[in-house]
Amino acid sequence: MHRCLELAAKGAGYVAPNPMVGAVLVHNDAIIGEGWHQQYGQAHAEVNCINDAIANGNAQLLSSATIYVSLEPCAHFGKTPPCADLIIKHKIPNVVVGCRDPFPEVDGKGIEKLQSAGIDVTIGILEVDAKKLNKRFFTFHKQHRPYIVLKWAVTADGFIGDPSKRLLISNEYSNRLVHRWRSEEAAILVGTNTALKDDPALTNRLWSGPSPTRLIIDRQLQLPKTLQVFDGAVPTIIFNTIKIEEANNLLYVKLEENPSLLPQLLQSCYKAGIQSILVEGGAQLLQSFINEKKWYEARIINSSIKAGSGIAAPILENAILQDQLEMTGDTINIYKPQL
């Protein structure tokens, strides 16, 4: 199962809104096939695993093998046929599952189908790790909202920006890591001031993998169309209180004028199937997510440089340090909310 999870992680950034899944076929304590879900809309982990075993000349061993899968095999027709049916077809007698799939079209139905076919199913192996790997998928289907990751870089004297110019805080290594983070999330969100002052592209340029959908808050549609976020390079959603419109890879979503747009914004993202959001700024937007307790992770890049003055960093409250990374001079602290 550890190997299943290693394989599953290879699909990060490529399989959403599907979950990351890995599969391993074992015969007499020897691995005879491996696979993972590599691309949304393409073959699932179990299919790739079984095909790998057959390609390795192990087809005759399937009927006496055990297949380990990090997530319950699907039982419905989606982009691909049900994996449970494939396992039954090849008469694999034993299935070991990391955790159940919370997606309503599956959620126990795959396990039930396998058991009804006389297959021995073991459930809950490394279950905590399996759920953690797909925390975005589980949050989306269990809590009906996107998984929110907050991110900002802060100087040694507590500032995240300069109101008069763009302030470069994190180093080139941390920047590359940020682009990896972007590749792992479905969407990236910034507020009006960040879009205007920094003119960010919000694309993934320093790491392999797709760029996230860009989410921009522009209540009164004041942002000039010359900004990079309006270049149509990737799907972009502009949340505003004025109009609904779609053209040139830009979608304008109208929200009701309220002191906080977050509940409406998150509900709109959920309806659009956006499972995770990386919130990159600015300070006011980040603080809103903190104050309204609508976050699951906070990743803070601490630099050794000093700014002297500028925009104060958000105040993270009720947080527990979960991990810490050193990035050649930058220290990255990763927090989770305190229950």
Side-chain angles (χ1 to χ4, degrees):
M1 191 58 70
H2 277 296
R3 180 58 179 159
C4 284
L5 295 174
E6 287 179 352
L7 292 168
K10 293 176 178 285
Y14 294 96
V15 301
N18 283 354
M20 294 174 279
V21 184
V24 174
L25 266 163
V26 175
H27 183 269
N28 288 342
D29 293 328
I31 292 176
I32 60 172
E34 294 185 337
W36 70 93
H37 187 26
Q38 299 179 16
Q39 187 76 42
Y40 174 70
Q42 296 183 11
H44 288 188
E46 297 92 325
V47 177
N48 290 330
C49 181
I50 291 171
N51 287 343
D52 183 52
I54 293 172
N56 291 335
N58 295 315
Q60 74 283 3
L61 301 179
L62 295 180
S63 60
S64 56
T66 298
I67 187 168
Y68 292 78
V69 189
S70 59
L71 189 71
E72 174 183 3
C74 61
H76 68 298
F77 282 88
K79 296 285 185 181
T80 60
C83 292
D85 288 357
L86 183 68
I87 293 171
I88 294 169
K89 173 186 173 182
H90 286 282
K91 299 180 180 180
I92 300 172
N94 304 294
V95 178
V96 180
V97 177
C99 63
R100 280 177 57 150
D101 188 333
F103 183 54
E105 293 295 324
V106 186
D107 199 11
K109 298 181 180 68
I111 294 169
E112 182 180 341
K113 179 176 280 193
L114 293 171
Q115 291 174 329
S116 296
I119 293 172
D120 182 64
V121 181
T122 302
I123 310 164
I125 305 303
L126 295 184
E127 183 174 13
V128 172
D129 293 329
K131 288 182 176 180
K132 183 178 179 180
L133 177 70
N134 281 305
K135 54 195 174 186
R136 299 159 181 82
F137 183 77
F138 274 80
T139 297
F140 186 83
H141 288 291
K142 287 289 191 180
Q143 301 186 28
H144 308 293
R145 66 191 233 186
Y147 187 90
I148 304 299
V149 179
L150 309 181
K151 169 263 165 183
W152 67 87
V154 58
T155 64
D157 48 356
F159 300 103
I160 69 167
D162 186 318
S164 62
K165 61 183 179 181
R166 186 170 188 180
L167 178 62
L168 300 177
I169 300 174
S170 53
N171 64 38
E172 60 179 312
Y173 303 102
S174 297
N175 287 338
R176 188 176 294 273
L177 179 59
V178 168
H179 282 240
R180 174 183 173 180
W181 291 343
R182 288 180 179 180
S183 76
E184 294 171 348
E185 308 304 338
I188 182 170
L189 171 67
V190 297
T192 308
N193 289 337
T194 299
L196 182 61
K197 295 182 183 301
D198 294 347
D199 189 17
L202 301 180
T203 53
N204 176 32
R205 303 177 302 280
L206 303 178
W207 197 266
S208 60
S211 292
T213 295
R214 298 184 291 208
L215 309 178
I216 315 297
I217 297 178
D218 185 12
R219 288 176 184 258
Q220 302 302 319
L221 297 180
Q222 299 172 327
L223 293 174
K225 299 303 180 288
T226 54
L227 296 178
Q228 294 187 82
V229 293
F230 294 107
D231 62 10
V234 296
T236 302
I237 302 174
I238 299 93
F239 293 99
N240 69 96
T241 60
I242 296 176
K243 70 176 183 179
I244 301 172
E245 186 176 296
E246 185 173 7
N248 302 321
N249 228 9
L250 301 176
L251 174 63
Y252 289 82
V253 173
K254 183 179 179 181
L255 304 179
E256 296 299 321
E257 182 65 75
N258 286 317
S260 174
L261 298 182
L262 293 192
Q264 298 178 73
L265 185 152
L266 294 178
Q267 183 62 24
S268 177
C269 289
Y270 172 74
K271 289 181 179 179
I274 295 173
Q275 289 188 5
S276 63
I277 303 173
L278 178 64
V279 184
E280 287 210 3
Q284 183 178 345
L285 179 61
L286 289 161
Q287 195 65 57
S288 296
F289 274 93
I290 295 167
N291 292 347
E292 297 185 33
K293 298 179 173 62
K294 297 187 183 301
W295 63 283
Y296 294 93
E297 284 184 41
R299 302 171 183 175
I300 304 175
I301 302 171
N302 299 275
S303 173
S304 59
I305 71 170
K306 292 185 178 182
S309 63
I311 301 169
I315 299 173
L316 188 64
E317 298 178 326
N318 300 317
I320 300 172
L321 182 63
Q322 193 173 27
D323 200 2
Q324 189 173 76
L325 308 172
E326 294 295 332
M327 238 357 129
T328 316
D330 288 351
T331 300
I332 302 172
N333 291 335
I334 301 176
Y335 296 89
K336 65 178 182 179
Q338 185 175 23
L339 298 178

